[in-house]
Each structure stands twice: as C-alpha cells, then as structure tokens.
Amino acid sequence: MADRWKCAVVGTGTVGQTHVRVLPKLPGAQLVAVCDVRPDRAKSVLEKHNAPPVPIYDDYKTMLDKERIDVVHIATPSGAHHDIAIESMKRGKHVISEKPLEIQLDRVDRMIETAAKHNVKLACVFQNRWKEENRAIKRAVDEGRFGKLSWAGSFTPWYRPDKYYEEVDWRGTWQWDGGGATMNQGVHAVDLLQWIAGPVKRVSAYAASRIHPKIETEDTMSCSLEFAGGHFGTILASTAMFPGMPARFEIAGENGTAISENGLKMYKFREARDSDAELIARLAPVDAKAAGGAQSNNAAISSDLHGNNLSDILCAWREGREAETNGVEARKAIAIVLAIYESARKRGEPVDIPA
Ligand SMILES: NC(=O)c1ccc[n+]([C@@H]2O[C@H](COP(=O)([O-])OP(=O)(O)OC[C@H]3O[C@@H](n4cnc5c(N)ncnc54)[C@H](O)[C@@H]3O)[C@@H](O)[C@H]2O)c1
C-alpha cells in the first residue's frame, strides 16, 4: 500500500458521483480510475466535478486487470454489488460498497467470507452515522444517560415522484433494489436504530405500494419492533409522503429523551451536564431547505458526510482495524429489513431476527 489508497469507483450515477467528488479531497486517498457501463456518464461526471482525468472503463474486470488499485468503491444498483465485490476481493482489493451492502443474506455472507479468505477489508457506506447529532445520541446511550430504555423510533417520511422510479430500470424492483422504501431509503434508518438502540429481536410490519402503482415493491412500510434489551421501537420508511419530511430519530427512557431531525431537536436528561447546552446550541436544527432536502430529492447527498464515512473507513484500515461500518456490522440492517419484508408478506405476523 502506498501513502495514499489508490481508489477506483464502479458506477458513476447519482451516488457514485459523490465518491468521485469526495475522493480527490481526502488526504489519504487518490482516485485512479472509474468504471461505468455507460462510460459517457463517467466522462461527464469527471468533468463536472473537476476530477483528475483518470482512465475510464466500461467493464470492471478490465479495469481490475489494467490498473493498480487498492480499494474498489461500488456504487452500482444494490443487486449488482455482490459480483463486483467478490471479483475485486479475490484479486486482493479492499471493497467499500454503497448501502445496502447487498440485498440477500447469503450473498452478504459470501462477501464477508471472501474478504476474510483473501485477507482484505470490506465496508459499507452508512453516512448518517456521521451526523453529529446521531453520534451525540449514540454516546449518551453508551454512557447510560437514558437509564432503562423505553422506546426508539427511526422515521423516513420521504417523497419520490414517479420519475424517480422511471428514470432508471432497477429502482423499485425486487431483483436489483431488493425492496422499495425500506431496503433503499429506509435502510439508513434501520441501521441507525440498531446501532444506537441495540440489537432488534422481533419485528411486525405492514408494507405496500400506496401511490406508485408501477413499482413491484413497497413505497410505504410501518413496523413495530422489540429490541433484545426489552424496549420497543418503530420504523417508518416511505417514498409516498408528499412533499417529504426530514428523516427523524427518537429515543427515550427513564432518564432522558433525544430527537435528531436536521440537527439535535431534543436532548434532555434528568441529570443535565453543562456540555449539553453547548451541544444543543451548536447542533440546533436547521430548516429542511438548508439541510439539503433528501426527503424530496434523491440527488441531495451530502459530500461532507460521505467524506467523513470514507475517511473513517480508510483510517481504520490503515491502522489495521476493521471499519465501524464493516461487513458484519452492515449485515445487521439487511437482516432486519428482510425480516420486515417477511412479516409484511404475512400481514404483520411477528418475525424473529436470528441472533
Ligand atoms: N448512501 C446514500 O445516501 C445513497 C444514495 C443514493 C444511492 N445509494 C446506493 O448507491 C447505489 C447506486 O444508486 P444510484 O441512485 O446512484 O444509482 P444510479 O442508477 O443513479 O447509478 C448507478 C450507476 O451504475 C452503473 N452501472 C450499473 N451496473 C454496472 C456495472 N455492472 N458496472 C459498472 N457500472 C454499472 C449505471 O450505468 C449507473 O451509472 C445503490 O445501491 C443505492 O442504494 C446510496
């Protein structure tokens, strides 16, 4: 490994662009190649973001053959992460995949096993963990400031027009999206919930497409759940709630309540600390427009959060550690989402998450 990780991006669409934009700015990284089955798109993305004029490929295997690459960033449709990851890891490359890591657990397991077998690292992008308000809430849970937890909820009340599903052929399909509002948009909320509030034991869910009749999958999902710790929870994921509201996370227990929504909306404990006031002032919620509007615009992706997540992964690897969002950790949200789908198919029947 050189001083800087040599990184290549496969898939330069909506979120792949964010990797192209962010990588040249990370001190420990270098963009060395890009690949897209539509190389014209890759070319215009490089130009649009003033990225270095790196080689462009339309086939990732050729790119792996020809370029010296340390890390492959995968930003293709969700059901197309697996093959690219496996092939890259077999050739000794580390892999960073966009969320969800994959859409089926057996395929995720194969990715994790392949990383171990070939002595390379695997990580996933879950950039909302790097929102300061979410990290502050997580810290408070770890310090036991809420006391006994009662309930936690993670909400994605978003809106996507028909065009969002029509402009590419994979969104809203079981084969390539792995689901709808839950596997695609809501997986961030699911990850936050299990990361902050602890392992989920059982889910009971309803899901359907309410306003997007042409998609195979759900545009709205509502789930009640029980955590391993005995507290309860709620997950909402939707792309059918016009005009779209910001994602929100809430948690409460015997000694406190915290809410994040475009900032730290509530952070109140029975035993307040002086530092709480400073935190609340610094992370005061900004209005939804200023916050970027992912609730109604799929292209509103924060490069700062992606940058922080990618930096954290690459720093951990340089120090020989697993990243916080490593393969095993990223698998947890997928297991929960798949249990939600099973429960929804059974009209809300409770489904246990295997430990
Ligand atoms: N972290 C986030 O907030 C975030 C946001 C949006 C999307 N995503 C995830 O990123 C992935 C991509 O989503 P998107 O909205 O950017 O999709 P997109 O359709 O906008 O872009 C996908 C790109 O991959 C290319 N592609 C497809 N198959 C390929 C292959 N085999 N080799 C090379 N290129 C290939 C397509 O031509 C396209 O340019 C999905 O898994 C999605 O869930 C994450």
Side-chain angles (χ1 to χ4, degrees):
M1 182 190 44
D3 287 350
R4 290 191 293 165
W5 297 102
K6 294 187 189 325
C7 300
V9 177
V10 183
T12 55
T14 311
V15 81
Q17 298 196 43
T18 307
H19 292 247
V20 167
R21 195 163 74 225
V22 164
L23 276 169
K25 296 184 186 135
L26 296 186
Q30 186 185 1
L31 181 68
V32 295
V34 291
C35 169
D36 199 294
V37 286
R38 283 191 46 195
D40 55 316
R41 175 174 288 167
K43 183 169 182 287
S44 61
V45 163
L46 288 177
E47 286 167 4
K48 179 175 158 197
H49 298 295
N50 288 320
V54 296
I56 297 170
Y57 293 86
D58 62 6
D59 174 56
Y60 72 92
K61 289 185 186 167
T62 311
M63 181 183 81
L64 293 172
D65 284 340
K66 293 205 171 159
E67 299 294 329
R68 284 185 55 212
I69 294 166
D70 301 314
V71 183
V72 176
H73 295 235
I74 303 176
T76 55
S78 306
H81 294 172
H82 170 272
D83 292 1
I84 301 169
I86 296 283
E87 187 66 29
S88 303
M89 292 190 287
K90 280 185 176 168
R91 297 180 191 217
K93 317 297 178 198
H94 307 290
V95 165
I96 298 176
S97 169
E98 266 301 333
K99 64 78 195 162
L101 187 54
E102 240 293 330
I103 55 177
Q104 294 299 335
L105 284 181
D106 57 341
R107 288 157 69 88
V108 172
D109 289 340
R110 217 154 33 234
M111 288 162 75
I112 293 170
E113 283 158 21
T114 305
K117 185 171 170 196
H118 293 272
N119 199 23
V120 292
K121 303 276 194 224
L122 171 67
C124 180
V125 176
F126 271 130
Q127 78 272 19
N128 290 346
R129 288 192 183 199
W130 274 266
K131 286 188 175 175
E132 276 196 79
E133 53 272 28
N134 291 333
R135 291 192 97 70
I137 296 173
K138 163 78 171 151
R139 231 176 7 254
V141 171
D142 291 347
E143 290 171 357
R145 296 189 68 194
F146 292 92
K148 195 170 181 181
L149 289 173
S150 307
W151 176 87
S154 203
F155 303 88
T156 311
W158 286 3
Y159 174 70
R160 295 287 182 266
D162 286 334
K163 182 171 166 287
Y164 165 80
Y165 291 104
E166 288 163 1
E167 67 190 2
V168 293
D169 57 6
W170 66 274
R171 294 184 188 135
T173 66
W174 288 107
Q175 186 178 3
W176 298 110
D177 213 349
T182 320
M183 183 65 95
N184 189 320
Q185 289 77 17
V187 74
H188 286 294
V190 174
D191 177 64
L192 276 184
L193 199 68
Q194 71 81 23
W195 177 58
I196 297 176
V200 176
K201 186 172 156 195
R202 185 173 296 132
V203 298
S204 166
Y206 292 92
S209 177
R210 297 290 304 153
I211 68 163
H212 299 96
K214 289 188 197 152
I215 65 172
E216 294 172 4
T217 60
E218 86 291 359
D219 65 14
T220 303
M221 184 284 297
S222 178
C223 170
S224 289
L225 56 92
E226 188 183 345
F227 289 91
H231 45 298
F232 303 110
T234 307
I235 303 171
L236 161 74
S238 183
T239 55
M241 294 173 65
F242 179 83
M245 290 159 280
R248 189 169 83 255
F249 180 87
E250 302 187 16
I251 188 164
E254 65 178 333
N255 294 328
T257 292
I259 302 174
S260 72
E261 184 186 305
N262 283 340
L264 199 52
K265 202 167 180 181
M266 169 107 179
Y267 195 68
K268 196 153 183 67
F269 297 97
R270 213 182 281 277
E271 288 184 20
R273 295 177 183 168
D274 291 346
S275 56
D276 292 350
E278 180 274 327
L279 202 63
I280 291 162
R282 189 161 57 79
L283 301 179
V286 289
D287 74 46
K289 215 168 164 191
Q295 65 268 17
S296 57
N297 176 6
N298 70 301
I301 300 169
S302 154
S303 42
D304 286 350
L305 293 176
H306 258 77
N308 290 342
N309 194 163
L310 295 178
S311 262
D312 187 83
I313 292 169
L314 296 174
C315 282
W317 290 355
R318 190 166 290 285
E319 291 167 8
R321 290 184 287 114
E322 283 294 344
E324 179 178 312
T325 50
N326 61 64
V328 173
E329 186 65 14
R331 184 189 190 280
K332 295 175 183 172
I334 302 163
I336 297 167
V337 170
L338 293 175
I340 286 172
Y341 285 145
E342 188 184 336
S343 172
R345 275 196 302 276
K346 297 175 179 167
R347 302 292 303 154
E349 202 176 287
V351 172
D352 286 352
I353 318 287

